[in-house]
Every structure is written in C-alpha cells, then in structure tokens.
Amino acid sequence: MSAKAVERLETRPSDAAIQWVDLGERAYPIVIGRGLLAQAGALFEAHAPAKRVAVVTDANVAPLHLSSLETGLKRAGIRTVPIIVPSGESTKDFHHLQTLLEALLENGIERGDVVAALGGGVVGDLAGCAAGLLRRGVRFVQVPTSLLAQVDSSVGGKTGINTRQGKNLVGVFHQPALVLADIDTLETLSDREFRAGYAEVVKYGLINNAAFFKWLEERGGALRGNADDLIHAITVSCASKADIVAADERESGARALLNLGHTFGHALEAHYGFDGTLIHGEAVSIGMAQAFRYSRLQGFCNQDDVERVTHHLASVGLPTRISHINGERPAADGLLRHIRQDKKVRDGALTFILTRGIGEAFIAHDVDAETVERFLEKECDTGTTHGRTD
Ligand code: GLY
C-alpha cells in the first residue's frame, strides 16, 4: 500500500487491515477488522457529503446487523434510509431490481448520497446494480456480512441480476467507494455458510499463492475461532483479488482466473436449481477438485497436488465429489449443456481454468467438449456418499 493511498483513507480504525484496490482515480480501500460497523460513520463520512445513506439489506440480515450499522453512521451525523429486500437468490431478478430502484427514487436518493449493501452476495449484487443504474451511477459502499462476500463478491465491482437465460447475465461494472468487512458479522453465519465461504478463500491459494495454501493447510481449519488468523486470511484473499482486478477490471484476461472451479460448479448449481441442496461455495469446492482432477487427466498437474487439494477441502467438511451432494445424481450430458450455456463455445472448444499445480492456475481456451463429457460421465458415476477423502 503506497503512502499516498493511506492518506486517501481519512480515518484508520485501530485493529484493522486495509487493502487497496488500485484503480487510479477510482481506487478504494477494503477495511477488514472487528467492530467496524460501530465505526462506520467515520469511514463513510468522506463519501456522503449529503450525510445520507440508503442501506439495502435483506430480511435475514436486517435483524442481526442493521441497527449496529445505523448507530455507527449516526455517530457521524449520517441519516439512514433502510430498504429491506427478501433474502435468497431469487431476489436477484428484474422485479426486485425495479422495486429497489423505485424505493431509492421515492426516497430521493441522489448523487450526494450513498447506497450501501449490508449483507451477502445477493444483496451486494442487487444493490450494486441499482447503484450503478440510479441516476447513471451513485456512490456505492459494500458492507459484506458473509465470508463469501468478504473475500470475493464485494470486491471488484461486478454487480448484476439473474434472468431466465442464466446467472448474472444483466448487470454493470460499478466499483464501490469502500468495502467494510467487519468480521464480527461472521459470528452469526451457520457453519455451513462459513465453510462455503472458506472454499473461496482456498481458491486464492490455488490460483497463484502456494504459500497461502500451505498456511491454510496448517491453520485454515480453525479460522472461526481465531480473529487474527481470520483477518489475515481475508486480507490475503482480498489482496489477491485486488491485484487481479487492478490488472484486468473488465475480465478481458487474467480476471477469468477467479473463476477457478466455477465452470464445473455453476453447472452443478444450475442442475440443483438454487434450492439449497448445494450452495455456491460448496459447488465451487467440488468444481475446484474437479478442475484439479481434470488437469491431472490431461497431464498438466501431478497426483500429489490433486490429493492435497481434495484432502484439505474435505478436512474442513467441504464436498469434493458429486457423490457428496445430498440429492439425486445429475447426468453428464445435462451438466455439459449447462456448461455450454455458461461459456462461449468455439468449434467444440470450451474455456476452462485449469492448473499446473497448487498456485499455478491458467486459462485454457481450447478444452475439448467431448473430453469434458467423458470426464463428467466418470465424475457422475464415481464415489459413495460415505467419506470425503478422495
Ligand atoms: N467472482 C469473480 C470475479 O469477481 O471476477
């Protein structure tokens, strides 16, 4: 972090880590620490000249954290307009986007104000999209309350909604002015949600940081009970994402690396229909293990790395195989159909994120669809529902 960048942050709370996303004039800090909601006023002040913040949150998060954020903002004389949307992936649609935009307009939210997203990835994506569209763009602050949102979706400016045609197909790039990741909010997550977010933490080690993966092997299983380690893991994850986003904001190249495990994972999510059978981070965990197994099959990486990855994911209770999902088995051709819908297919070739080993992910543009289908046939047939060590 440069000295100039530190100056841009007017208030630096103690006991917090700060990671900048260096996008020139649009650079912004990710502040990671404890008790940050209570200090929100000081952190938001510079971004809210009209001293008003529309806080978009959902029905699950509102009773847990809304009043802490509002109290924190009031300490700096900032008024709040709370807008509560239903929780769940189905809120990311045209109907709720329209309702939210109309609520923001009816409350007179304009360019001197801030739209803040308090919640997980759904709230962040929906509120960010609304902030990017409202009056052609108003200031936006992310206050992520899930581990998944703190290490991934709140950083990088991707916003959007789902349509009948697929996930995140309508949206805008709209970078936040600030990301405020208060780890105290993670205490209310279920173990399952926390684990699912942890899959995205592991992803950063697997993409380009073998030393971080090793650290996670040693300490990742106990993150929940150790605030310093948790702040470290979130900071390293955000630093990795910040570097990739700064180099390729609009995903014309390296940003695609962040999709490691997501092509296989999205196909599984689409198959199970977002009904809670398989949540995003779990799908990513299986998808990452599959990306390693597929890379091994193609001779790109060695078996030791495949085993280290699957062993670590399994050791924290994450699924690594289709057979670990508590639901009926999908068919390979159905999964491939989802993959083809998700991706541009050129002359029968697909783009996947593959790997030469832990910390050595790469973008492969020429993956043969038939080979993937044969691989998926085996994946759909393999394993039992007992044990998660393979
Ligand atoms: N979650 C992937 C990205 O932000 O590019």
Side-chain angles (χ1 to χ4, degrees):
M1 189 178 6
S2 71
K4 198 160 166 258
V6 179
E7 280 164 26
R8 284 199 297 258
L9 187 67
E10 296 189 350
T11 306
R12 182 172 179 158
S14 54
D15 299 328
I18 298 172
Q19 176 60 51
W20 282 81
V21 183
D22 198 354
L23 289 168
E25 290 296 303
R26 293 172 299 126
Y28 58 90
I30 307 161
V31 186
I32 303 142
R34 304 197 68 159
L36 296 179
L37 295 189
Q39 303 179 67
L43 288 160
F44 271 62
E45 218 168 11
H47 305 292
K51 291 206 171 279
R52 191 167 54 154
V53 174
V55 182
V56 182
T57 188
D58 73 25
N60 282 346
V61 174
L64 300 172
H65 306 302
L66 179 58
S67 70
S68 307
L69 179 59
E70 289 190 295
T71 306
L73 291 170
K74 271 181 199 130
R75 283 170 63 190
I78 296 173
R79 286 169 297 135
T80 54
V81 176
I83 299 175
I84 300 173
V85 299
S87 57
E89 187 73 26
S90 58
T91 301
K92 267 179 60 173
D93 67 0
F94 276 120
H95 168 69
H96 290 96
L97 178 63
Q98 179 181 348
T99 310
L100 173 56
L101 281 167
E102 285 175 352
L104 292 167
L105 287 168
E106 272 157 23
N107 282 286
I109 300 300
E110 47 185 75
R111 289 211 179 134
D113 301 318
V114 172
V115 173
L118 174 70
V122 168
V123 164
D125 284 4
L126 179 75
C129 190
L133 293 171
L134 185 73
R135 302 181 198 275
R136 300 194 178 87
V138 299
R139 283 192 201 84
F140 176 49
V141 170
Q142 289 267 21
V143 189
T145 59
S146 71
L147 182 56
L148 193 134
Q150 293 193 352
V151 298
D152 185 26
S153 59
S154 68
V155 177
K158 276 189 184 176
T159 76
I161 58 166
N162 307 325
T163 68
R164 261 186 295 127
Q165 290 74 16
K167 249 189 109 152
N168 298 326
L169 294 181
V170 172
V172 291
F173 280 96
H174 188 56
Q175 297 291 344
L178 165 73
V179 180
L180 210 161
D182 185 337
I183 66 159
D184 291 342
T185 63
L186 305 182
E187 282 169 18
T188 53
L189 293 180
S190 68
D191 285 342
R192 185 182 183 197
E193 284 168 315
F194 188 90
R195 263 199 309 272
Y198 181 75
E200 298 275 3
V201 174
V202 174
K203 182 184 79 176
Y204 294 105
L206 299 182
I207 290 174
N208 60 8
N209 193 340
F212 182 48
F213 182 77
K214 190 164 184 303
W215 184 87
L216 290 173
E217 285 180 307
E218 286 156 15
R219 307 182 69 95
L223 280 191
R224 251 205 130 155
N226 186 329
D228 289 343
D229 279 1
L230 187 53
I231 290 174
H232 176 72
I234 296 169
T235 306
V236 173
S237 301
C238 288
S240 178
K241 178 141 190 189
D243 280 351
I244 292 174
V245 168
D248 177 24
E249 185 183 2
R250 301 235 160 192
E251 199 170 313
S252 49
R255 186 163 179 169
L257 291 170
L258 296 169
N259 298 332
L260 176 65
H262 284 61
T263 301
F264 288 125
H266 277 165
L268 290 169
E269 277 186 284
H271 172 80
Y272 288 102
F274 306 100
D275 65 354
T277 303
L278 184 70
I279 58 177
H280 179 69
E282 294 168 341
V284 168
S285 176
I286 298 173
M288 290 191 300
Q290 289 181 319
F292 269 77
R293 285 194 289 272
Y294 185 82
S295 299
R296 166 74 186 132
L297 200 70
Q298 297 304 305
F300 292 124
C301 82
N302 65 44
Q303 186 60 24
D304 279 357
D305 280 355
V306 177
E307 275 163 24
R308 267 179 77 192
V309 172
T310 48
H311 177 78
H312 181 58
L313 293 169
S315 74
V316 298
L318 280 163
T320 59
R321 283 206 175 272
I322 290 171
S323 58
H324 298 157
I325 303 167
N326 241 339
E328 102 298 350
R329 296 270 182 108
D333 60 342
L335 292 179
L336 192 66
R337 250 195 321 279
H338 288 303
I339 288 173
R340 283 181 192 277
Q341 259 163 27
D342 203 33
K343 296 275 140 189
K344 285 198 189 87
V345 186
R346 233 182 254 152
D347 299 330
L350 300 159
T351 297
F352 270 81
I353 310 306
L354 298 181
T355 180
R356 296 193 177 86
I358 290 166
E360 294 181 71
F362 67 96
I363 305 168
H365 291 290
D366 53 357
V367 175
D368 175 52
E370 273 184 34
T371 315
V372 172
E373 187 165 8
R374 282 198 300 278
F375 169 76
L376 285 173
E377 276 163 7
K378 196 162 157 253
E379 287 284 310
C380 291
D381 284 347
T382 306
T384 67
T385 48
H386 319 290
R388 291 185 170 175
T389 52
D390 50 343

